[in-house]
Amino acid sequence: MMALWIVLHLAFLGAGTIQPLVQESGFRDSATVEPSLLNLCLPLEDQDTTQILSTGSEPLLVQVQVFVSDVLNVDILQYTLSSVLMLRLNWLDTRLAWNTSAYPRHAVTLPWDSLWTPKLTIWEALWVNWKDQMPQIQVHHSGQVVLNLALTTETNCNFELLHFPRDQSNCSLSFYAFSNTVKELEFQAQVKNEIVSVKREYVVYDLKIQDPPQDLVPGFQVMISLKNTALESVMSLLVPGEALLLADVCGALLPLQATERIAYKVTLLLGYLVFHSSLVQALPSSSSCNPLLIYYFTILLLLLFLSTMETVLLAGLLARDSLRNKSSPSPVPREEQRDQENPGPNPEASPRGEKGSRSWAEAADHTFFLIYVASVVCSQFLFIGIWIWATCNSDPAPGEAAPLGGQPRL
């Protein structure tokens, strides 16, 4: 009997139906079922005047509690973030209040399409999936209306990847009610972190509510701060690069005359080229503020290339000199012939022969090795300093950089 009285009371007030609460703004079909229109017989002017409670000069205050329960996926290549949210909206509609002494029931549950509810749109959303396609509205005897919504959404996020894989980014979810104005509706929102699992590469370390950029449309903005734990990225990116660089330095200890040295250097260079190509595909690229690792591994590639070219060049010059000496033999003095005919112990001849056999190519190779090691050490310290103190200011957006661009005013 009480529920029948509430339905008749709502029909008398002419509470209009609404469209789905949060519209999908992307590439999937809507997961929300359109409500059936129950008041098509009402005049159009009656429907317009009963959509939202008029409170005079003050806008209707809607309190919103946002519960972030999980962050499913962070895709830095596609610049997207998937998250699970629950919204709890409540507002006071005095038209729905009743006397508990006459009707001893403190709350009733009604279909969500039988009352006015805020029509929200997520500005950054690519798609939205609802946990409950037909949520229920709870109405208290004081006129307090409570609506709970659970959703999974994928939104666009401009990640700050300069210090990847130790990056930190802020992703925003902007909720707007485009069917109302700030004179009609006002949101008072708060957010709570209910994520209990931290077994992911990106973790949420802060949540906050801030004012949205649009000031003519009622709304609120949830800011999700993400931090990269970076353990997997460090193991798969930095360790192989440093190991190849150390192996290249150790390869310079092989004799220049040994043919294995050239094969060793070329094998390292080819292996690093394969690693660098896979690295470029794994790291994101943008118009500005690219990850510092891209420049770091490119410098390592240049160092390995210079080391390989130095080995090939000096080994080639040394082989050419040896071939030239074989093609034009010099006359052997008589004293050396006597020494060859009567070999004997000569302790002074051995050190002189070793000292004279050290050619200019070996001296150049030793000098290059010292310079190369110094360059590698300096590059490591230089990169550490840039990593700590470097900052990057992104280029202005096309709308802001254009002469007639800027934030749209709705």
Side-chain angles (χ1 to χ4, degrees):
M1 185 67 184
M2 180 63 189
L4 180 60
W5 181 86
I6 293 295
V7 173
L8 293 177
H9 182 58
L10 294 177
F12 178 75
L13 292 176
T17 60
I18 61 169
Q19 297 179 0
L21 291 168
V22 179
Q23 292 182 339
E24 301 198 32
S25 55
F27 311 113
R28 299 189 181 184
D29 294 332
S30 175
T32 307
V33 179
E34 288 285 346
S36 59
L37 301 180
L38 303 178
N39 58 345
L40 292 178
C41 298
L42 292 178
L44 181 60
E45 57 273 9
D46 293 341
Q47 296 186 31
D48 294 338
T49 57
T50 57
Q51 283 293 315
I52 184 173
L53 176 64
S54 177
T55 58
S57 59
E58 297 294 331
L60 177 64
L61 180 62
V62 176
Q63 296 181 352
V64 184
Q65 290 179 307
V66 183
F67 302 93
V68 181
S69 58
D70 200 359
V71 173
L72 300 177
N73 183 37
V74 179
D75 193 344
I76 60 175
L77 297 179
Q78 299 295 330
Y79 287 89
T80 57
L81 169 69
S82 300
S83 55
V84 180
L85 308 174
M86 192 189 79
L87 304 180
R88 178 175 295 170
L89 299 87
N90 63 86
W91 62 94
L92 182 62
D93 193 344
T94 55
R95 300 174 301 180
L96 305 179
W98 68 87
N99 190 356
T100 55
S101 60
Y103 302 97
R105 193 168 182 177
H106 296 278
V108 294
T109 301
L110 300 175
W112 73 289
D113 56 351
S114 61
L115 300 177
W116 174 89
T117 54
K119 177 184 174 183
L120 297 177
T121 301
I122 303 179
W123 183 269
E124 299 87 357
L126 302 178
W127 54 265
V128 176
N129 284 339
W130 295 99
K131 297 293 184 180
D132 187 3
Q133 297 181 359
M134 298 294 293
Q136 301 294 314
I137 300 178
Q138 190 176 23
V139 181
H140 295 266
H141 68 279
S142 60
Q144 196 74 22
V145 183
V146 179
L147 174 62
N148 294 320
L149 300 173
L151 59 113
T152 301
T153 180
E154 181 176 285
T155 56
N156 179 42
C157 180
N158 295 323
F159 297 106
E160 297 292 340
L161 300 174
L162 180 67
H163 294 92
F164 178 85
R166 298 293 298 175
D167 54 296
Q168 298 181 7
S169 302
N170 295 323
C171 301
S172 60
L173 280 74
S174 304
F175 293 83
Y176 290 103
F178 290 108
S179 58
N180 300 102
T181 63
V182 292
K183 296 181 179 180
E184 298 175 339
L185 186 62
E186 179 183 356
F187 291 101
Q188 184 178 0
Q190 58 182 353
V191 65
K192 184 178 180 181
N193 190 350
E194 290 192 342
I195 300 176
V196 295
S197 176
V198 294
K199 298 179 180 180
R200 300 183 187 275
E201 185 177 2
Y202 281 87
V203 296
V204 178
Y205 69 93
D206 189 23
L207 288 172
K208 60 182 179 181
I209 295 289
Q210 62 183 20
D211 295 332
Q214 300 290 346
D215 55 355
L216 297 181
V217 179
F220 57 94
Q221 189 175 59
V222 179
M223 186 65 66
I224 303 177
S225 300
L226 300 173
K227 181 188 297 182
N228 193 351
T229 56
L231 180 59
E232 180 183 357
S233 301
V234 170
M235 298 298 294
S236 61
L237 297 178
L238 294 181
V239 173
E242 295 295 333
L244 284 174
L245 187 62
L246 181 60
D248 182 66
V249 173
C250 296
L253 301 177
L254 294 174
L256 187 61
Q257 297 85 354
T259 57
E260 292 82 2
R261 179 173 174 178
I262 297 180
Y264 180 82
K265 292 278 189 177
V266 172
T267 303
L268 281 181
L269 181 60
L270 293 178
Y272 191 80
L273 284 174
V274 176
F275 172 75
H276 190 270
S277 63
S278 61
L279 174 69
V280 171
Q281 296 177 359
L283 291 179
S285 60
S286 61
S287 59
S288 60
C289 297
N290 288 306
L292 291 175
L293 284 184
I294 295 180
Y295 307 102
Y296 174 70
F297 286 113
T298 302
I299 293 176
L300 292 187
L301 178 61
L302 294 177
L303 290 175
L304 288 176
F305 177 77
L306 291 177
S307 177
T308 305
M309 291 298 101
E310 181 268 342
T311 300
V312 173
L313 179 61
L314 292 182
L317 293 177
L318 188 61
R320 178 177 295 182
D321 290 342
S322 62
L323 292 176
R324 184 179 302 173
N325 293 333
K326 290 180 180 180
S327 61
S328 57
S330 58
V332 181
R334 294 180 180 179
E335 296 180 355
E336 294 182 1
Q337 291 180 357
R338 292 176 183 177
D339 294 337
Q340 294 177 0
E341 293 176 357
N342 300 320
N346 188 1
E348 297 181 356
S350 178
R352 292 178 181 178
E354 291 181 359
K355 184 176 180 180
S357 62
R358 185 174 181 179
S359 63
W360 62 270
E362 293 176 342
D365 182 64
H366 181 71
T367 304
F368 179 82
F369 173 74
L370 296 178
I371 298 175
Y372 183 73
V373 172
S375 301
V376 169
V377 174
C378 292
S379 64
Q380 301 302 307
F381 283 103
L382 181 62
F383 177 75
I384 293 175
I386 294 176
W387 182 276
I388 295 175
W389 290 293
T391 58
C392 180
N393 296 324
S394 301
D395 295 336
E400 297 178 356
L404 300 180
Q407 190 72 26
R409 312 292 292 182
L410 299 178

